[in-house]
């Protein structure tokens, strides 16, 4: 769990990354949203709390980098993957240059997995997508999001699902 966030946030991923780190070097790139302060943004207070999360920290021995990407909750959802790419690319380039990863693992369907497909040219490694459930069953269940997620999942070397039902 990132410093300053509720302790239950991200526990599932954290447990998996800690277990994986016992067998391989793990670096986490966890982009976070940046929102402009607008008059209507009082409705977005929950999202503004992400700004307080450190851009770099070590959690249980795992280095975590959190570049920011521009986000407009609800009204800008279709642009999240593109903004994610723009905000993440410089940090990803530095990490790839320093680490030369053997594999890239992305979790959460949209915008993370979709953006990682768009960033594919930045690294020369197989990429694996991990789906959680609500990212597919609630957030990408229909319309444009379902289409872009389905297209992105066809581009991966492997897709991991947390349950048989999700598969």
């Amino acid at each position: 769990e990132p410093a300053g966030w509720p302790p239950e946030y991200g526990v599932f991923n954290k447990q998996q990354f800690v277990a994986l780190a016992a067998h391989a070097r793990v670096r986490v790139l966890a982009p976070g949203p940046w929102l402009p302060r607008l008059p209507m943004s009082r409705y977005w207070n929950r999202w503004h709390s992400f700004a307080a999360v450190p851009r770099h920290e070590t959690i249980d021995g795992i280095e975590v980098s959190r570049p920011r990407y521009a986000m407009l909750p609800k009204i800008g959802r279709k642009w999240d993957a593109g903004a994610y790419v723009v905000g993440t690319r410089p940090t990803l380039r530095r990490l790839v240059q320093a680490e030369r990863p053997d594999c890239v693992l992305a979790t959460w369907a949209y915008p993370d997995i979709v953006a990682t497909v768009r960033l594919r040219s930045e690294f020369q490694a197989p990429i694996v997508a991990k789906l959680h459930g609500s990212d597919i069953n609630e957030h990408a269940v229909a319309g444009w999001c379902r289409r872009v997620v389905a297209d992105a999942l066809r581009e991966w070397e492997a897709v991991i699902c947390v349950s048989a039902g999700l598969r």
Side-chain angles (χ1 to χ4, degrees), residues 13 29 40 43 47 54 61 94 100 110 117 121 139 151 166:
N13 277 330
L29 182 64
M40 67 197 152
Y43 301 107
W47 296 102
R94 282 193 299 277
R100 306 269 187 232
Y110 188 86
V117 166
S121 64
H139 301 286
D151 289 346
L166 184 59

Side-chain angles (χ1 to χ4, degrees), residues 8-86:
E8 70 279 2
Y9 189 87
V11 171
F12 183 71
N13 277 330
K14 178 185 171 189
Q15 290 171 338
Q16 291 180 3
F17 294 142
V18 168
L20 185 59
H23 305 283
R25 175 142 165 76
V26 174
R27 287 287 307 264
V28 173
L29 182 64
W34 171 86
L35 287 82
R37 291 273 180 194
L38 301 171
M40 67 197 152
S41 70
R42 72 176 186 266
Y43 301 107
W44 301 344
N45 284 339
R46 173 176 80 117
W47 296 102
H48 285 291
S49 65
F50 286 108
V53 174
R55 289 185 182 247
H56 302 281
E57 68 180 316
T58 301
I59 299 174
D60 288 349
I62 299 171
E63 294 175 50
V64 179
S65 299
R66 290 192 194 83
R68 303 293 194 250
Y69 65 96
M71 177 187 189
L72 292 172
K74 308 274 185 201
I75 62 173
R77 185 106 171 102
K78 286 185 178 183
W79 299 301
D80 284 354
Y84 188 109
V85 168
V86 170

